[in-house]
Amino acid sequence: MSEPAPNPYAAPGEADPPKARGTTLVESRMLRFVFFGLLYLAQGIPWGFLAGGYRVFLIDRGLSNEALGAVMQVAYLPWSFKVFFGPLLDRYRGGRFGRRRPFIVLAEILMGVPLLALAAVDPARLGLVNVLLFLHNTFAALQDVAVDGLAVDILPEHETGRANSIMWAGKVVGVMIGGAGAVLAKHVGWQATFVAMTLPVWLIMLVPLLVRERPRGEDTRLAQEGKRLNVPELVRTLRFWPALSGFLLGFVMPAGFALVGTFTTRLYRKDLALSEEALYLLTVIDTPAGVVGALVGGALADRMGTRKTMAMSMTLIGVVMATFASLSDLWPRYALLVVYGATLQIAICSYSASALKFFMRLSNPALGATQFTAYMAMTNLCYSFTARYGGWMADTFGYQRAFFIASVVQVVVIPLLLLCDPRKAEAHFRAEENVAAAPQM
């Protein structure tokens, strides 16, 4: 085994605790948690708008499940561009403003511009609306890469479970805010709604503007001494089977619940005739359930190990979807939709929080954002791919069979987790003392 490359950007480890009242991210644990939680909140707002308000907008214009899925496929596609953004950002060693903050701030500025442009566009011009949302999601993906790269840079291993829980909980809250788009548009119009989606993203931008990654002198030193993307290290990583198989897992693990995402909204809106308010109430109820799921998933990942937590969560997801499919006669009952949505959200967010830690542990710290964000890009590519085929499945086989098929898909991929052991990745990429401190599977 070759010598693991050190990560000069890392925060102090468990044996060297940070200062209690530090004013930078590497000095303050609490500041790290708040910082990443708020930035994931900013990511969740546009994602929630796409998953909620924009889908309702398209459904009300008569799109079929497959057509709706095709539109969502294009909207989600920019998130797979993260596989290219990671190496680009890792070429930058940093400066007075830090290594990741310039990209975070730039991306958040650019995220807001297409949303404001949408306020001046006729919503009936779907082609132009799709182009602007495509641009918005491209910049949102860039922000995501910069935030994840910063997390990989500075989070000590013993903090990743709790931090991932907080990050995913923040995204869930952001999704709830973004999901209000359809209700807001019903009262103030779509143009004003796009402006309202922009404001919180730009307000949260103040956080990376005001909070430094590390003390000023250290930022300057790392700008001169820090490492760019290490190509030999990248080759070494890609030749390591557990790390390489992580790309397959990133693509297939969310496939089951991703298949049902798009057509579930159309089922509720078109077939069950739910109002904008009734749809949004489901999102509001799902939010605390998702926060609980993320926190529980992170805690279980720390205690039991990431693979066991992911397998348990994925099994629960499959059982919940299969149970819902078997109760199709009761779908018009709103109480069933509440219970189904909340339970599914707990399971999905538990999976997501533990998966974040899983992929962070598979990643080589010497590659910064490159490897981890490539894993996340594969997950986002899964969402884009399944959006269309989930819609086709619902149109072809009907909703009940589509839910059953998705539940089976979700469960049958679980054994693939055996391909990747995070302990082996840490032994391969990190120093032995760091491996000894890692929780056992």
Side-chain angles (χ1 to χ4, degrees):
M1 182 184 73
S2 56
E3 185 68 21
N7 177 15
Y9 301 97
E14 192 169 15
D16 185 17
K19 299 176 184 178
R21 296 188 178 182
T23 58
T24 68
L25 293 177
V26 297
E27 295 176 308
S28 171
R29 178 184 296 109
M30 183 57 65
L31 196 56
R32 288 196 288 273
F33 290 159
V34 173
F35 182 90
F36 288 116
L38 286 174
L39 288 177
Y40 260 68
L41 174 71
Q43 291 179 26
I45 293 172
W47 189 273
F49 177 70
L50 273 178
Y54 188 53
R55 284 182 186 171
V56 172
F57 173 77
L58 295 173
I59 291 166
D60 288 350
R61 277 150 183 79
L63 271 69
S64 67
N65 281 304
E66 186 174 1
L68 177 63
V71 173
M72 299 308 298
Q73 180 181 40
V74 174
Y76 287 143
L77 185 60
W79 291 87
S80 64
F81 295 168
K82 294 192 293 185
V83 71
F84 306 110
F85 291 151
L88 177 65
L89 268 61
D90 279 346
R91 292 290 299 168
Y92 181 62
R93 292 188 300 190
R96 286 190 309 139
F97 200 59
R99 189 186 189 199
R100 307 295 186 183
R101 289 168 64 222
F103 296 101
I104 295 173
V105 173
L106 175 65
E108 292 191 341
I109 292 173
L110 295 176
M111 283 167 64
V113 172
L115 290 179
L116 286 181
L118 283 166
V121 171
D122 181 0
R125 299 178 63 187
L126 286 181
L128 183 56
V129 170
N130 287 335
V131 168
L132 291 172
L133 283 175
F134 184 90
L135 290 174
H136 166 78
N137 280 293
T138 300
F139 301 132
L142 176 62
Q143 189 250 27
D144 187 41
V145 171
V147 172
D148 288 345
L150 182 58
V152 171
D153 280 351
I154 71 170
L155 281 176
E157 195 282 328
H158 66 277
E159 283 183 14
T160 55
R162 184 182 302 176
N164 294 155
S165 297
I166 293 171
M167 290 156 70
W168 202 260
K171 185 168 184 175
V172 170
V173 174
V175 168
M176 181 191 73
I177 296 172
V183 176
L184 189 61
K186 182 178 180 179
H187 298 285
V188 301
W190 284 103
Q191 284 81 3
T193 299
F194 286 123
V195 175
M197 293 293 108
T198 306
L199 294 179
V201 173
W202 279 355
L203 284 175
I204 292 173
M205 182 180 65
L206 295 175
V207 176
L209 274 174
L210 298 176
V211 179
R212 299 186 65 87
E213 295 177 25
R214 46 185 56 82
R216 190 179 302 274
E218 191 177 344
D219 269 335
T220 303
R221 176 181 64 81
L222 286 174
Q224 299 172 347
E225 301 175 7
K227 295 185 177 181
R228 292 190 173 99
L229 177 64
N230 188 330
V231 176
E233 193 71 18
L234 176 61
V235 173
R236 184 173 82 95
T237 300
L238 294 177
R239 292 174 62 185
F240 182 57
W241 171 249
L244 190 61
S245 57
F247 295 102
L248 172 64
L249 268 65
F251 182 76
V252 301
M253 292 289 128
F257 65 81
L259 280 168
V260 308
T262 298
F263 70 72
T264 299
T265 305
R266 191 175 185 276
L267 166 66
Y268 289 177
R269 178 67 170 174
K270 186 76 172 178
D271 296 79
L272 301 182
L274 295 188
S275 66
E276 291 91 337
E277 292 79 6
L279 282 169
Y280 184 57
L281 180 58
L282 290 175
T283 302
V284 172
I285 294 171
D286 288 350
T287 299
V291 171
V292 169
L295 296 176
V296 169
L300 289 177
D302 283 341
R303 182 178 296 272
M304 299 172 49
T306 53
R307 290 190 297 175
K308 289 181 182 177
T309 305
M310 291 167 69
M312 290 171 51
S313 301
M314 292 166 68
T315 301
L316 180 58
I317 292 170
V319 169
V320 169
M321 291 194 298
T323 302
F324 184 70
S326 67
L327 299 174
S328 58
D329 290 342
L330 301 179
W331 286 356
R333 298 190 179 183
Y334 193 75
L336 175 63
L337 305 184
V338 170
V339 173
Y340 164 70
T343 309
L344 185 64
Q345 191 73 354
I346 289 173
I348 289 175
C349 290
S350 175
Y351 160 80
S352 299
S354 55
L356 282 178
K357 179 170 183 176
F358 173 77
F359 288 117
M360 280 188 178
R361 291 182 65 190
L362 280 182
S363 299
N364 184 348
L367 296 180
T370 297
Q371 185 180 355
F372 177 74
T373 54
Y375 289 143
M376 296 297 99
M378 294 304 295
T379 296
N380 296 130
L381 186 61
C382 174
Y383 290 134
S384 178
F385 180 82
T386 54
R388 179 168 191 167
Y389 288 100
W392 170 84
M393 197 166 63
D395 283 343
T396 303
F397 303 112
Y399 289 115
Q400 185 179 32
R401 289 181 180 176
F403 277 110
F404 273 127
I405 293 171
S407 68
V408 172
V409 170
Q410 189 65 65
V411 174
V412 297
V413 299
I414 293 176
L416 293 176
L417 285 168
L418 296 174
L419 296 174
C420 294
D421 187 343
R423 292 174 300 176
K424 292 182 179 179
E426 290 186 323
H428 192 75
F429 296 134
R430 293 168 173 81
E432 291 182 1
E433 58 267 24
N434 291 337
V435 177
Q440 297 299 306
M441 296 294 290

